[in-house]
Amino acid sequence: MATIFSKIVAGEIPSYKVAEDDKFYAFLDINPLVKGHTLVVPKKEVDYIYDLSDEELAAMHVFAKHVALAIQKAFPCRKVGEAVIGLEVPHAHIHLIPIQNESDMLFSNPKLKLSDEEFKSIAERIHNAWEGKA
Ligand code: 5GP
């Protein structure tokens, strides 16, 4: 059965897309730790990120790098932190989280509750930066 992230990639489940190419898809985490918290997934369905080939893993990180730079442009921060956990959704994904402090990346922190308009506006800002428009 397709994972929830494959359904998102296929457009069967809505998402706040920020970037896409032929192999990877980036969208806002629905339970963000901070504004701009983004997930990067391979379109190929693989559970464990380290089951990707060396080439796929490298390409995923290059894609994630450009998304991270767009996040930082849209949401000025000290750095964009990266985390791979993957225990909840069995489809490899990288969390990209704009941080001012180390504690911004604690997954035990309460998650933000954002409106549809807020999610759309955040996604648009990052997408524009990713396209070089911002
Ligand atoms: P992990 O597997 O890395 O522990 O956590 C999965 C992440 O995916 C969580 O941060 C969760 O909020 C996010 N997530 C789970 N389901 C959905 C969904 O349907 N849409 C979006 N945008 N994010 C999701």
Side-chain angles (χ1 to χ4, degrees):
M1 211 177 85
T3 66
I4 195 151
F5 289 169
S6 285
K7 290 180 181 169
I8 283 175
V9 168
E12 293 164 15
I13 291 178
S15 67
Y16 299 98
K17 178 171 103 169
V18 304
E20 179 177 19
D21 71 5
D22 57 330
K23 293 193 174 65
F24 305 103
Y25 189 89
F27 57 105
L28 298 182
D29 193 304
I30 206 69
N31 301 302
L33 284 169
V34 295
K35 285 187 181 181
H37 182 168
T38 296
L39 301 175
V40 171
V41 301
K43 292 185 173 179
K44 174 177 161 179
E45 197 170 289
V46 171
D47 175 1
Y48 191 35
I49 196 165
Y50 299 122
D51 282 337
L52 290 169
S53 70
D54 291 357
E55 292 72 22
E56 289 164 335
L57 185 62
M60 186 172 173
H61 274 93
V62 172
F63 180 82
K65 169 186 171 178
H66 292 289
V67 176
L69 294 176
I71 292 171
Q72 194 158 17
K73 221 170 178 183
F75 291 91
C77 53
R78 278 176 68 192
K79 290 192 173 173
V80 174
E82 181 179 307
V84 175
I85 306 175
L87 292 179
E88 186 189 316
V89 179
H91 186 138
H93 52 281
I94 294 173
H95 293 259
L96 295 175
I97 304 168
I99 53 172
Q100 304 295 354
N101 301 293
E102 211 176 290
S103 59
D104 291 338
M105 284 202 59
L106 290 177
F107 281 83
S108 53
N109 286 346
K111 310 300 185 294
L112 297 183
K113 294 272 175 258
L114 302 175
S115 66
D116 180 54
E117 284 69 33
E118 286 175 302
F119 273 118
K120 279 184 183 150
S121 146
I122 292 166
E124 191 181 353
R125 276 168 67 175
I126 299 171
H127 179 74
N128 286 343
W130 184 70
E131 284 201 321
K133 285 189 203 151

